[in-house]
Amino acid sequence: VSGNDLARFAGIPSFMRLPVHADAEGLDAAFVGVPMDHGTSWRPGARFGPQQIRTQSAMIRPYALQTGAAPFDGLTCADIGDVALSTFDLRAAIGAIETAYGAILSTGAVPMTMGGDHTVTLPILRATAARHGPVALVHVDAHADVNDEMFGARECHGTVFRRAYEEGLLIAPKVWQVGLRGTGYSAGDFDEPRGWGFNLVTAPELWHKSLTGLGEHIRAQIGAAKVYVSFDIDSLDPAFAPGTGTPEIGGLTVPQVLELIRALRGLQIVGCDLVEVAPPYDPSGNTALLAANLLFELLCILPGVPYR
Amino acid sequence: VSGNDLARFAGIPSFMRLPVHADAEGLDAAFVGVPMDHGTSWRPGARFGPQQIRTQSAMIRPYALQTGAAPFDGLTCADIGDVALSTFDLRAAIGAIETAYGAILSTGAVPMTMGGDHTVTLPILRATAARHGPVALVHVDAHADVNDEMFGARECHGTVFRRAYEEGLLIAPKVWQVGLRGTGYSAGDFDEPRGWGFNLVTAPELWHKSLTGLGEHIRAQIGAAKVYVSFDIDSLDPAFAPGTGTPEIGGLTVPQVLELIRALRGLQIVGCDLVEVAPPYDPSGNTALLAANLLFELLCILPGVPYR
Amino acid sequence: VSGNDLARFAGIPSFMRLPVHADAEGLDAAFVGVPMDHGTSWRPGARFGPQQIRTQSAMIRPYALQTGAAPFDGLTCADIGDVALSTFDLRAAIGAIETAYGAILSTGAVPMTMGGDHTVTLPILRATAARHGPVALVHVDAHADVNDEMFGARECHGTVFRRAYEEGLLIAPKVWQVGLRGTGYSAGDFDEPRGWGFNLVTAPELWHKSLTGLGEHIRAQIGAAKVYVSFDIDSLDPAFAPGTGTPEIGGLTVPQVLELIRALRGLQIVGCDLVEVAPPYDPSGNTALLAANLLFELLCILPGVPYR
Amino acid sequence: VSGNDLARFAGIPSFMRLPVHADAEGLDAAFVGVPMDHGTSWRPGARFGPQQIRTQSAMIRPYALQTGAAPFDGLTCADIGDVALSTFDLRAAIGAIETAYGAILSTGAVPMTMGGDHTVTLPILRATAARHGPVALVHVDAHADVNDEMFGARECHGTVFRRAYEEGLLIAPKVWQVGLRGTGYSAGDFDEPRGWGFNLVTAPELWHKSLTGLGEHIRAQIGAAKVYVSFDIDSLDPAFAPGTGTPEIGGLTVPQVLELIRALRGLQIVGCDLVEVAPPYDPSGNTALLAANLLFELLCILPGVPYR
Amino acid sequence: VSGNDLARFAGIPSFMRLPVHADAEGLDAAFVGVPMDHGTSWRPGARFGPQQIRTQSAMIRPYALQTGAAPFDGLTCADIGDVALSTFDLRAAIGAIETAYGAILSTGAVPMTMGGDHTVTLPILRATAARHGPVALVHVDAHADVNDEMFGARECHGTVFRRAYEEGLLIAPKVWQVGLRGTGYSAGDFDEPRGWGFNLVTAPELWHKSLTGLGEHIRAQIGAAKVYVSFDIDSLDPAFAPGTGTPEIGGLTVPQVLELIRALRGLQIVGCDLVEVAPPYDPSGNTALLAANLLFELLCILPGVPYR
Amino acid sequence: VSGNDLARFAGIPSFMRLPVHADAEGLDAAFVGVPMDHGTSWRPGARFGPQQIRTQSAMIRPYALQTGAAPFDGLTCADIGDVALSTFDLRAAIGAIETAYGAILSTGAVPMTMGGDHTVTLPILRATAARHGPVALVHVDAHADVNDEMFGARECHGTVFRRAYEEGLLIAPKVWQVGLRGTGYSAGDFDEPRGWGFNLVTAPELWHKSLTGLGEHIRAQIGAAKVYVSFDIDSLDPAFAPGTGTPEIGGLTVPQVLELIRALRGLQIVGCDLVEVAPPYDPSGNTALLAANLLFELLCILPGVPYR
């Protein structure tokens, strides 16, 4: 819907005002929300992430002026709504997500996920590996999310990528974790995943620099492997993305993450997520506006998108 | 959709998660948004009113525990989205609204409007009178909205009911304006509409009192005439409804307006609106939550609603 | 600590700046936090409730000017910190709470709980009944919380009092639920608990009225039975308590709930809670200030408090 | 300036868009700001009170529709700006205020003060007594402000009326303190001022009641004495006035304070203040809007105001 | 007024506490507000921009420590208040602005405009061209604002520079648009204005770079031509300027825009505006503080400003 | 306390959940709050700084992943609460702080101060010089704070370092002031302290650059002298630290200040402060989160901290 036919603030909001479909059948890319936050350890609220991302996405027009991407010329896209899941039982929710993504992936559509806390990525990776086998991973985040457990929980937003590694869902040497920082318990927090083959890039290594080069290097290293992109909004500095549950100082800038995403064009991406947008902590909506734009940028680098 | 099938914060929001229809065909009551605020003289933002009302309405369940009303047992209802209108040209927008409501009313559906600033009521009354002839009016508001013009404009949120009177859209002796207060320019501000036959009830007359009696009196006076209900959220005290464009101190309480609405049951209501919710001034969403509940209460007194 | 020895905004906050104890040993009344919100169905955030209630409580001085109560002249009180519980596993958390309250109650101290969502009351009632046998209940709330299940969960903030009834934790004819309102699914929502013997008082029955009479009636009906008081902040109208997870319009006023609490003086109270304060939705802190004062008022009616 | 000549949100804000004068010469009533908050014990911010009250006052029109008062038909009014005072030295500021008010009062104008924290009232009363002799007082507040000292300070916002009594600035039996509540240290907090002859009316005595009767009683008791009106915005419940430094639950309602002020018409008022509006705690501006309206209502009851 | 004579938060706010004049007569530079937002397509609120910019500007002292500029040593400056215009009729407002600026420019003063939405620049450019002939333009913005129409409107905040080009108000090869980004409809969005001769510089071309070089290049290219500077606050990244109506991610930084402005010193500037500050979306006031500083920096590069 | 033993949002907050001690006896580093803001000239609120910094610090874990610092392996640390001081008398408060720090320093502990406005640094430097003699200074700030007086006050947040210089508390050639910017009254504002021997580095000199080099240079220049580090949060750009009293545009970035601090490792630091966090202007808590992390980074460079 063009902003000149119906004002941008009007209408019942879907992602970028796309058509609403009941399922992913016939789609090349399916936007889907996973509204939950019971996997979060600090500030909850990400359950309202999909809602606010959809609302803010009304500002985005279909052509990427900066890169020339015209995704809707080449891909059939729709918003298929939110996964139904239990608010009270984290384990049940994780199961429900895996089932829902199994169904989405069976149609051949690429799922473009609006979280939700980062826990959602674990069942998505399970469904993805079930369909595609182990995948390469570009994981942009302040945190490596490789804890063994948190307060007794083995499946929550801080343990996702250890579980994924243990379960063989990932091609370990083709895993890139970018933007890491913060505090921890020992040097082992980073050394252990490096031992598995993961490539960890901390934020201080990237300060003041363009990320185009890093992005090109990652693209080259991953090559033709199928790849999943998991984007935690807290990879960005809280100045750019205050509306999140576990903010960490000293993060990436918006130009950096745009450079990184744009440099990944050409990869065989089989799924993307944008997680940890927590609206109660940014009533201005700017964090969700950023998230919506990043999802659009990820859409623009999917296989099959024409540039003009 | 029950909150036990899909979490209340999930899904693409329509009013009370009702089905979304393209038009009012086949409906008994049609929820419709008119997202505009270029008719407002002080704080803009009501253009986002329909969006926030829809979001907050997800909390409301289908049965009114306090009164026994079960509107969806008797009426077919849907959300038909927002009227498309120009953000830049108030006169053009007023025309577009009249046209849109002509279409809605031609189906026989009762329009349940989410504003938008109060200007929206003028074209709705024009369309209503075109179909039903002059109507009785219950107008709950801090302001009488009977200016002759504001800054040169003869059609804006402060002139609606003078225009409606002049154009013969109303049955003047069956017009009730409830909750009036604030400051003005002379005693004539109230005396003139009284001269037309309007019944004005100021807020100080109502302080500390139940409004059940007033509501029953209005119902008796209006009798069998067709009636339109126009509800400005600023009728309420800003403590209850801070998110509005022209707040006035000393307003009605929530129990009072609930009593008033419930006492009107039995009237031949042909349309309702709830206007002037301005989300930027209440990020908590509580003003919109109140507005959504008042729309539900208005739905519950439409002709044909069963009580059990 | 007096505000003239250390400024009220200084110091590490405990409830009313009371001493911090490691456990309830030797106390008459023990303030304790249960920071969780994974039992909530709509807006999370109550996990930060104890923290904000403690901070705001620094404003309260030790003598109740309006009633003459001087609780610290008669009772030994302390803040014993928060219950340690899993953020990720609701069932495990419920178990941990029951254990923790078993320990508190074994000392003879009256637990004064800062929630946390309303789920916390179920394990507290279990521990309470284990020590005292079934108890009378004064439950002030917008919602009856007597669902059988919510999204498959049998133990969450909407099912507490059905579970408590089924498990025989309550003396059903001495259960009072005050302030009920909102919407539901059928008249049975209220009729069924009435069938168990519960006394339900809806908000519309109380509008515009003092609650002193109701409070005295409840006190007389409960008589000498041991009684638990569970106070959900959403019993109040959102104008008074916007910072909560499931606000409902048309609620009680602050004078009403103060009258109700004060009229209960003389009952054999064995525990109190104040739940559902969700700080992210009221950054002003006024909801938590209200909650802190209500906890102080509840303290003032415990057995053994002198009045002067 | 009418809202139809210059939009209400336009122009450089003076109180109610009155002319700005350099001093009070030739005025009947002079609006003046005292922007300070170093006399406050809890949340600062009242230094921005005059600014926000002026901004919000642009909404008020010159005629009081509810009472018929037309103050500008009978009185020459202007905004004379703010008192210059030291932000860093409370004692020096108190001296500067007394000097400034001496000058204002010497012109015969009635000062209408926008605070600032309540400390401002002490030097104003000193200047007032210097000109008029001891005065009667109507003091609307949550707190009696009769401490002997706070953290070693004998002149701050909690000691004003003890100092004024000791210094003989007040006619003690004609002092009325209305709206008192909150917590304290002993019954003496209220008994002592009663011993001086002060009339204290607590909030619980007023709950659920019109204040017209109390106002008429006060008017009759004060009779022909000159009277000063000091209005602390925290007399109101925080639901109505969240933007203040020391909120107390259970306060007055807006209808009550409007009734009280209107009933005082006929008194020989020689000065009024409205204090303790702290903008940082109410970004909506509604507390300041209320304050501006209360100042207008106080203006409407000054001697010489015509009603039509 | 120095902050040591009257506290910075005191007094009735004019821009930088300059004298308030009735018109521009005798001034070298005239600060003027144009409070409107009916030309905006997304979030309204810019009508309150001049008010908040004036309030925040109280923090700025008269000497630019970083550059040595002392504008008030060389230029006579005042605040001449706001243009009176209709809130309800965008076309009438555009006419009123052109008339008002004709009067300002006829005095020889350089107008320094506080918007308002970007629509204000069109009538200002008309009045400017009427006096000075076509002008060079430095336009700093996220958006090129060269649409042909928006929702049927040919004159609104998104069409300004196409209209100005068509009407011959600009020297096209001396037009510089800096900071462009966001999404659009086709490559033509940028190619067409380039075809007119405009110089477009997108944000990605500038990321991670100083803008001193670009500023010097622009200054050299424009040379001795008269030039107008139009500064949209949304040129900056939303992290720096969240309080605006149509935020776009990936924008300029504050150091960059300061470098750009400072490098333009020496140009024959005949007018400047700072538009699109929308206070409701940044209650902290920091966006307006930034805007006020940018206006001061623009003042510092006007012809005739001494540096010491 | 680990986040896996007690949830991070639980418990009574001390800095980083350290043990609470009554005094500094036996400690290597003592975290202490100085909650005051009566030394501030613009927006108050810093009195709540220690409280919000403590709350946000719960997010920080004990090991610095980016640098390898493990401060608690080498140093005994505790939170010793807040200094008791008068809210009403700035001079008395300054005296009380000096006394309190004399006591802390006498134990040999390094005080790690949470402000409070910047005035607190003057009495701390007096106590520091009394124990250690004149010290070198690293002062990171937007403002040089070298006024002679402000509104008659010689000791307030804008005069600290002139007083310290005059009193011989500093080794002038080893004073570094980093991040200076904003506006002033003349070039002398910076030239005069340079004349004393101070090293001033303005923000524009640092834009777009790593500060590692500057930090290493400062470390080399200071050498073996004892040094105090005073960190004003407004040194950072308001995008990163909106919650402060006197924000200035164009400030440092978070990566820059982290680089600066880390490069200072090896200095003989005898005290650190982090001042001017004003919570009312950043309800998200992110400014305080940043402040808490900066204090942790400062802790990490104290003498005796092991790296692993």
Side-chain angles (χ1 to χ4, degrees), chain F residues 240-258:
Chain F
F240 297 96
T244 193
T246 48
E248 295 284 354
I249 69 164
L252 304 180
T253 68
V254 171
Q256 286 181 322
V257 299
L258 291 173

Side-chain angles (χ1 to χ4, degrees), chain C residues 20-259:
Chain C
V20 177
H21 284 209
D23 56 43
E25 204 59 52
L27 300 180
D28 295 308
F31 288 88
V32 55
V34 190
M36 59 172 268
D37 52 22
H38 37 2
T40 199
S41 55
W42 180 238
R43 306 192 304 191
R47 64 177 69 181
F48 293 106
Q51 185 178 89
Q52 201 190 32
I53 292 171
R54 283 190 179 100
T55 302
Q56 291 294 327
S57 72
M59 273 284 284
I60 309 176
R61 285 151 299 246
Y63 177 73
L65 280 169
Q66 301 165 55
T67 61
F72 304 112
D73 288 9
L75 302 182
T76 303
C77 302
D79 186 327
I80 61 167
D82 288 347
V83 176
L85 46 78
S86 167
T87 310
F88 305 112
D89 187 329
L90 181 56
R91 261 170 294 189
I94 290 170
I97 298 167
E98 186 177 346
T99 303
Y101 275 75
I104 295 168
L105 288 163
S106 74
T107 69
V110 175
M112 305 294 289
T113 300
M114 299 172 269
D117 73 65
H118 217 149
T119 314
V120 307
T121 304
L122 181 57
I124 296 174
L125 284 175
R126 285 172 178 157
T128 300
R131 177 167 175 93
H132 294 293
V135 291
L137 177 75
V138 180
H139 171 212
V140 190
D141 199 334
H143 312 90
D145 294 347
V146 291
N147 291 289
D148 189 36
E149 64 167 39
M150 296 179 80
F151 222 105
R154 294 179 58 78
E155 299 187 355
C156 67
H157 79 155
T159 66
V160 169
F161 299 99
R162 179 183 291 265
R163 284 298 92 73
Y165 167 73
E166 292 169 350
E167 299 179 11
L169 312 177
L170 302 174
I171 306 167
K174 291 185 185 290
V175 170
W176 290 82
Q177 297 190 297
V178 178
L180 307 183
R181 56 194 193 275
T183 48
Y185 295 98
S186 78
D189 294 11
F190 284 173
D191 292 348
E192 192 179 3
R194 281 185 173 126
W196 307 334
F198 283 22
N199 305 280
L200 278 69
V201 187
T202 67
E205 298 172 63
L206 302 173
W207 290 342
H208 316 298
K209 289 184 192 153
S210 166
L211 262 60
T212 299
L214 174 66
E216 290 170 350
H217 180 65
I218 293 172
R219 189 184 54 200
Q221 294 297 311
I222 290 180
K226 289 179 177 175
V227 58
Y228 186 85
V229 182
S230 184
F231 205 108
D232 188 321
I233 199 73
D234 72 21
S235 56
L236 287 142
D237 193 87
F240 297 95
T244 193
T246 48
E248 293 285 353
I249 69 164
L252 303 180
T253 69
V254 170
Q256 287 182 322
V257 299
L258 291 174
E259 289 168 335

Side-chain angles (χ1 to χ4, degrees), chain D residues 9-13 35 48 51 55 82, chain E residues 9-13 35 48 51 55 82:
Chain D
F9 42 81
I12 299 170
F48 293 107
Q51 186 177 91
T55 302
D82 288 348
Chain E
F9 43 81
I12 298 171
F48 292 107
Q51 187 178 89
T55 301
D82 287 348

Side-chain angles (χ1 to χ4, degrees), chain A residues 5-14 20 35-36 47-48 51 54-55 79-85 87 283, chain B residues 5-14 20 35-36 47-48 51 54-55 79-85 87 283:
Chain A
D5 294 327
L6 183 63
R8 295 200 172 279
F9 42 81
I12 298 170
S14 60
V20 176
M36 59 172 268
R47 63 177 70 181
F48 293 107
Q51 187 178 89
R54 284 190 178 102
T55 302
D79 186 325
I80 61 167
D82 287 348
V83 176
L85 45 77
T87 311
Chain B
D5 295 326
L6 183 63
R8 296 203 170 278
F9 43 81
I12 298 171
S14 60
V20 177
M36 58 172 269
R47 65 177 67 181
F48 292 107
Q51 186 177 90
R54 283 190 180 101
T55 303
D79 186 327
I80 62 167
D82 287 348
V83 176
L85 45 78
T87 311

